[in-house]
Amino acid sequence: MTGRPTDLTRRAALRAGALAALAVPLAACGPGYDESPDPLQPLLAAAEADAAAARALAKGGDADAAGQLADARAAHAAALKSEVDRLNRPKPSPSPAPPAPAALGDLKERLATARKQAEDLVGGLPRYRAGIVAAVAAGCAALQRTAPALGPGEDAPAIAGSAAAVPAEAVDPLQTALAAEHAAVWVYGLVSAFLPDDFAEGEKAGAAEHAVRRDLLQTMLAASGATPVAPEAAYVPKKPVTDAKSASLVVATAEADCASAWLAVVNHTDDKALRTTALHALVAASRRGTPWRSEAGEKPVAIAMPGQAS
């Protein structure tokens, strides 16, 4: 047996490999490839810069708050980078690096800007990306409540919604959100007996807001021809509620459950108005849950990516 057939086979294989290598950039430049800069890139750059700046401050009097800010913004950067790298779209020219902060308060406006930029993007992104960016926005909103120097930040807009039917794919996630809101209303009623008087304002405000969201969801689902899920007769907390600390923890858990449910709504609809409603509910639950986590002694005080599985 001669070596010629083997040589020809080898040449053919090399030729095929070369053509395959050429096909990748050609496909990337084809009609389906988006050559516009990735809108997540500025969010990523800001998160990386904030994480580095906060890390440098995590040594003085605000070491704990700065460390938590650094960890959270690093988590934002990791989530955004994974998605930016996945699509591999052209990167815009890098902006000049922001000045190094001298104190934690110097990051206040940067955090508020990052939140606003993320919130503004959610409505127009594909579902998966919208969910990532919504969680980043909610994380920034929660961080604004971790230290006076960073906040307090703006609360989510007043609850608003439409009685019009919702898209069919959003019905199940909205039912889950309704179940979470039912539970939150019950939890706020439970803890009132265990909280001192100085908690009364926060407890009443939280209970009222969840009741309004519950009523809105019931109206939206009924308008869509669905039967709104009913509340349970009672709910069993994971840990017994015996004092103010355990009461704070069960409230924080209820808020985290609501955040998860509302993020799932963002992930399951392309309807811009419904996404906005869900984003506002996600941000509200994240901000409201943060001081309760602080009272319960939870660390970190702010959840970096509210609504996402940890």
Side-chain angles (χ1 to χ4, degrees), residues 38-183:
D38 195 320
L40 270 57
Q41 183 64 40
L43 295 181
L44 168 58
E48 291 176 334
D50 289 352
R55 191 74 66 200
L57 294 173
K59 299 173 184 177
D62 293 318
D64 185 58
Q68 292 190 53
L69 173 59
D71 290 344
R73 293 298 277 152
H76 297 168
L80 291 164
K81 187 174 189 308
S82 177
E83 180 60 13
V84 168
D85 289 349
R86 183 182 71 85
L87 288 194
N88 194 30
R89 285 165 62 175
K91 293 178 173 59
S93 300
S95 301
L104 187 64
D106 294 338
L107 292 170
K108 177 178 178 177
E109 289 304 317
R110 284 164 60 165
L111 191 59
T113 298
R115 171 186 168 182
K116 177 71 164 55
Q117 289 175 334
E119 288 177 339
D120 289 347
L121 282 176
V122 169
L125 293 171
R127 293 182 187 182
Y128 177 67
R129 291 190 135 208
I132 294 173
V133 174
V136 169
C140 290
L143 286 166
Q144 290 175 308
R145 301 205 69 181
T146 57
L150 294 175
E154 294 183 2
D155 286 331
I159 299 167
S162 170
V166 298
E169 70 272 8
V171 169
D172 285 347
L174 287 172
Q175 292 280 29
T176 301
L178 176 56
E181 295 293 350
H182 280 315

Side-chain angles (χ1 to χ4, degrees), residues 108-305:
K108 177 178 178 177
E109 289 304 317
R110 284 164 60 165
L111 191 59
T113 298
R115 171 186 168 182
K116 177 71 164 55
Q117 289 175 334
E119 288 177 339
D120 289 347
L121 282 176
V122 169
L125 293 171
R127 293 182 187 182
Y128 177 67
R129 291 190 135 208
I132 294 173
V133 174
V136 169
C140 290
L143 286 166
Q144 290 175 308
R145 301 205 69 181
T146 57
L150 294 175
E154 294 183 2
D155 286 331
I159 299 167
S162 170
V166 298
E169 70 272 8
V171 169
D172 285 347
L174 287 172
Q175 292 280 29
T176 301
L178 176 56
E181 295 293 350
H182 280 315
V185 170
W186 184 89
V187 162
Y188 273 98
L190 168 70
V191 301
S192 60
F194 298 92
L195 297 172
D197 291 343
D198 55 347
F199 284 69
E201 183 177 348
E203 180 265 320
K204 289 179 181 177
E209 185 164 347
H210 284 293
V212 174
R213 291 197 193 282
R214 174 201 62 195
D215 295 345
L216 172 64
L217 282 164
Q218 289 174 327
T219 301
M220 293 168 68
L221 287 163
S224 303
T227 301
V229 64
E232 301 289 340
Y235 298 84
V236 180
K238 293 180 180 178
K239 295 182 179 180
V241 178
T242 58
D243 55 17
K245 184 174 182 179
S246 57
S248 298
L249 179 59
V250 77
V251 174
T253 301
E255 295 291 359
D257 289 344
C258 287
S260 295
W262 283 108
L263 181 60
V265 176
V266 174
N267 284 329
H268 285 84
T269 185
D270 296 317
D271 185 280
K272 190 170 183 178
L274 182 56
R275 270 195 196 174
T276 299
T277 296
L279 173 64
H280 291 167
L282 167 64
V283 167
S286 304
R287 284 177 57 78
R288 202 164 38 242
T290 300
W292 290 109
R293 285 177 60 84
S294 179
E295 292 293 340
E298 292 292 286
K299 294 290 185 179
V301 172
I303 297 174
M305 300 282 285

